[in-house]
């Protein structure tokens, strides 16, 4: 027998279940308990950049909206800086910008939305710039381990065309499942991003 | 500052796959296409940072944080442990959130219609930050088992849902903690979504008499392991300069 490798093993994931809101968004579960819930404001009121709204549905393999999903978002500020000590420029991150948010659906319709600022481009591997994107992580009943995906923007065609992650997707047609579509509502930009868990038009999910 | 280091790849052989038909809801909610593996970039090694300004000291005490007229009914317990990485190092200042049913197996959630009653003094959620060594603790009541519509007669073992962040978005994890000796564990389709028996054992918290408080409450110990990261003995090319 060789020497043992004494690494610990990652704790196994389990589904967040139907009542994930109790722990992570108790206000939505129907009761107030904490002084404030975390993840309600991604950008903060002072961060510069274009204010945008993102909305969509998560759709299951039967075509039905998933009404008990919880989504977390992680993004850079408008200058492409993550407010995290390992971003070399983190000390220049926009004031009050958290970069992280928690999003839950309407229990009746399954529609979710969040407001933030459009992120800037951030450095990828090997010095290649990435197109603006928001990292998303989905948990829900029936999802055994959180699903990672990315949201890109359809008005960033040039940057998307050379994005190193989008270009890893071998089937070119599937890249569009990660691109949110811009429209205007009352003069404000809204991006639509539906996530299909399974079947036709299935969203690309990552093992990050 | 040293160059950012990548995380070890997730061992999917010990993690539940997306499609586990005995857990029925997974059938329509699991991707059919393979996941696309990504090497870490800045977007993956970073993640949200939390501080003591985000939470209150009482947030980790589920016996008191929703008490209206007295203490909740149930078995008083401490749940404590460390958040570690795969290298065995404590993960400091990371957010741990828990939620659970009350002693009768009823959740305080408008969608839960189980006939067991709500406890007026129990909310069922808590949160805390680990200390410098990665240590955390909660005080709560032991949750009850409850039925769920999967097969006709499925019952979840007593469990506490646990959510942990780590330092990078790649470490984000939600799991469930079970209690030593619970005979429902081996019957549960959600537990058995995990293919590796050792990985299931790792979710079972042992009774920890050393941490119990005499004449007050017993304790269970639950260590949580997040993905570890490479040491930068050799240059990695995350940023490519």
């Amino acid at each position: 027998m060789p020497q043992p490798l004494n690494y610990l093993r990652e704790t196994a994931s389990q589904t967040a279940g139907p009542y994930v809101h109790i722990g992570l968004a108790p206000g939505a579960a129907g009761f107030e308990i904490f002084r404030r819930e975390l993840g309600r404001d991604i950008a903060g009121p002072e961060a510069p950049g274009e204010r945008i709204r993102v909305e969509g549905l998560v759709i299951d393999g039967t075509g039905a909206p998933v009404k008990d999903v919880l989504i977390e978002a992680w993004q850079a500020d408008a200058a492409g800086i993550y407010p995290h000590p390992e971003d070399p420029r983190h000390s220049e991150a926009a004031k009050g910008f958290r970069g992280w948010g928690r999003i839950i659906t309407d229990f009746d319709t399954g529609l979710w939305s969040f407001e933030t600022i459009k992120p800037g481009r951030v450095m990828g591997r090997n010095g290649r710039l990435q197109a603006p994107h928001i990292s998303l992580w989905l948990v829900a009943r029936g999802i055994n381990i959180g699903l990672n995906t990315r949201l890109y923007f359809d008005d960033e065609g040039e940057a998307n065309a050379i994005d190193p992650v989008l270009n890893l997707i071998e089937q070119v047609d599937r890249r569009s499942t990660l691109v949110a579509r811009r429209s205007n509502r009352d003069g404000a930009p809204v991006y639509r991003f539906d996530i299909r868990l399974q079947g036709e038009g299935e969203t690309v999910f990552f093992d990050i | 500052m040293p160059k950012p280091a990548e995380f070890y790849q997730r061992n999917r052989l010990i993690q539940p796959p997306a499609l586990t038909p005995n857990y029925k809801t997974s059938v329509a909610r699991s991707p059919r296409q393979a996941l696309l593996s990504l090497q870490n970039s800045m977007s993956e090694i970073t993640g949200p940072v939390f501080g003591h300004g985000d939470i209150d000291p009482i947030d980790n005490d589920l016996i008191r944080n929703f008490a209206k007229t007295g203490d909740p009914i149930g078995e008083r317990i401490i749940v404590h442990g460390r958040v570690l990485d795969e290298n065995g190092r404590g993960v400091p200042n990371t957010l741990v959130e828990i939620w659970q049913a009350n002693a009768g197996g009823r959740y305080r959630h408008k969608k839960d219609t189980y006939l067991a009653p709500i406890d007026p003094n129990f909310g069922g959620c808590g949160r805390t930050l680990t200390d410098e060594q990665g240590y955390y603790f909660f005080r709560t009541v032991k949750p009850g088992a409850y039925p769920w519509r999967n097969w006709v007669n499925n019952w979840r073992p007593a469990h506490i849902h646990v959510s942990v962040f780590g330092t990078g978005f790649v470490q984000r994890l939600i799991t469930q903690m079970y209690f030593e000796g619970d005979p429902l564990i081996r019957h549960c389709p959600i537990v058995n979504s995990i293919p590796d028996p050792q990985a299931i054992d790792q979710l079972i918290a042992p009774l920890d008499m050393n941490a119990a408080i005499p004449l007050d409450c017993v304790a269970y110990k639950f260590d949580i392991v997040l993905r570890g990261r490479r040491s930068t003995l050799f240059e990695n090319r995350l940023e490519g300069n």
Side-chain angles (χ1 to χ4, degrees):
Chain A
M1 286 284 281
Q3 295 180 14
L5 270 173
N6 288 322
Y7 294 106
L8 301 179
R9 305 202 322 165
E10 186 189 18
T11 298
S13 172
Q14 291 270 264
T15 179
Y19 307 124
V20 59
H21 316 91
I22 289 176
L24 307 188
F31 66 109
E32 297 297 329
I33 182 165
F34 298 135
R35 178 166 46 89
R36 65 180 168 123
E37 289 189 12
L38 296 171
R40 281 184 170 163
D41 191 358
I42 299 175
E46 292 174 55
E50 185 185 26
R51 297 273 154 177
I52 62 170
R53 179 182 176 86
V54 180
E55 62 184 29
L57 291 170
V58 177
I59 299 161
D60 74 13
T62 73
V66 177
K67 298 173 180 175
D68 51 12
V69 70
L70 181 136
I71 303 171
E72 289 188 6
W74 174 242
Q75 66 165 88
D77 71 7
I81 302 171
Y82 283 107
H84 183 278
E86 289 183 67
D87 186 313
R89 295 189 293 160
H90 77 275
S91 58
E92 303 158 42
K95 187 162 176 266
F97 179 85
R98 178 149 233 167
W100 171 78
R102 250 179 200 157
I103 301 110
I104 58 164
T105 63
D106 182 287
F107 288 151
D108 296 321
T109 64
L111 191 71
W112 52 265
S113 65
F114 61 92
E115 279 164 21
T116 185
I117 53 156
K118 195 173 172 190
R121 299 181 74 175
V122 301
M123 192 53 78
R125 297 176 63 85
N126 306 324
R128 291 175 67 188
L129 267 180
Q130 305 187 72
H133 65 276
I134 300 175
S135 298
L136 299 176
W137 183 73
L138 282 68
V139 293
R141 178 171 67 101
I143 296 176
N144 289 323
I145 183 165
L147 292 168
N148 287 98
T149 189
R150 285 183 172 201
L151 179 157
Y152 289 85
F153 301 90
D154 72 343
D155 53 341
E156 297 286 343
E158 249 173 73
N160 291 346
I162 55 168
D163 179 79
V165 170
L166 285 174
N167 278 287
L168 278 178
I169 304 170
E170 189 183 339
Q171 301 86 358
V172 175
D173 288 350
R174 298 197 71 210
R175 296 177 188 169
S176 63
T177 67
L178 301 187
V179 182
R181 283 173 179 70
R182 182 178 177 121
S183 62
N184 273 278
R185 189 183 303 150
D186 307 326
V190 178
Y191 288 92
R192 176 80 187 194
F193 190 64
D194 289 339
I195 297 168
R196 289 185 165 74
L197 295 178
Q198 184 189 102
E200 196 179 336
E202 182 176 304
T203 298
V204 173
F205 296 104
F206 298 109
D207 187 13
I208 66 172
Chain B
M1 169 162 282
K3 291 171 86 64
E6 295 172 57
F7 286 84
Y8 302 143
Q9 74 171 15
R10 173 166 272 157
N11 181 359
R12 293 273 171 181
L13 298 177
I14 63 172
Q15 291 289 349
L19 175 61
T20 51
N22 285 332
Y23 175 25
K24 293 182 181 181
T25 315
S26 76
V27 174
R29 293 185 174 191
S30 47
R32 285 294 170 273
Q33 301 300 319
L35 300 178
L36 179 63
S37 291
L38 281 193
Q39 290 175 282
N40 293 174
S41 74
M42 191 61 69
S43 303
E44 286 79 36
I45 65 157
T46 57
V49 176
F50 300 97
H52 288 281
D54 288 321
I55 60 175
D56 289 317
I58 199 176
D59 287 355
N60 71 342
D61 185 357
L62 285 70
I63 289 181
R64 288 285 156 75
N65 70 8
F66 200 74
K68 308 293 183 200
T69 59
D71 285 353
I73 302 288
E75 186 178 341
R76 298 162 65 89
I77 62 170
I78 285 169
V79 173
H80 75 127
R82 289 180 75 202
V83 179
L84 303 160
D85 68 17
E86 290 168 292
N87 297 315
R89 286 193 279 262
V91 182
N93 304 313
T94 198
L95 185 66
V96 181
E97 297 163 292
I98 65 169
W99 68 101
Q100 63 169 96
N102 67 23
R106 175 76 184 269
Y107 284 96
R108 183 176 286 278
H109 191 293
K110 50 188 165 193
K111 297 280 182 190
D112 189 356
T113 56
Y114 180 37
L115 51 78
I118 288 283
D119 185 327
N121 293 308
F122 191 68
C125 60
R127 54 191 189 179
T128 191
L129 290 171
T130 57
D131 72 9
E132 302 72 41
Q133 280 77 46
Y135 183 76
Y136 74 91
F137 73 95
F138 291 96
R139 192 169 75 143
T140 185
V141 297
K142 191 176 175 188
Y146 63 85
W148 58 299
R149 291 183 185 277
N150 189 61
W151 301 333
V152 166
N153 192 24
N154 271 140
W155 293 74
R156 294 303 323 283
H159 63 277
I160 296 177
H161 296 267
V162 182
S163 163
V164 198
F165 280 82
T167 57
F169 209 54
V170 301
Q171 290 175 302
R172 192 76 182 85
L173 181 74
I174 281 181
T175 188
Q176 300 181 31
M177 180 204 113
Y178 303 99
F179 293 86
E180 178 182 10
D182 186 340
L184 286 169
I185 293 172
R186 68 187 173 87
H187 293 280
C188 178
I190 289 177
V191 173
N192 287 303
S193 68
I194 299 169
D196 183 282
Q198 195 185 333
I200 292 175
D201 288 346
Q202 202 172 323
L203 297 186
I204 302 174
L207 179 70
D208 182 359
M209 288 306 291
N210 287 351
I213 301 176
L215 307 178
D216 184 338
C217 58
V218 294
Y220 288 87
K221 184 166 190 291
F222 188 60
D223 286 342
I224 301 157
V225 182
L226 303 179
R227 287 164 67 183
R229 59 200 310 187
R230 221 164 268 174
S231 53
T232 46
L233 292 173
F234 298 95
E235 192 85 345
N236 70 57
R237 297 175 64 211
L238 196 61
E239 287 199 281
N241 23 347

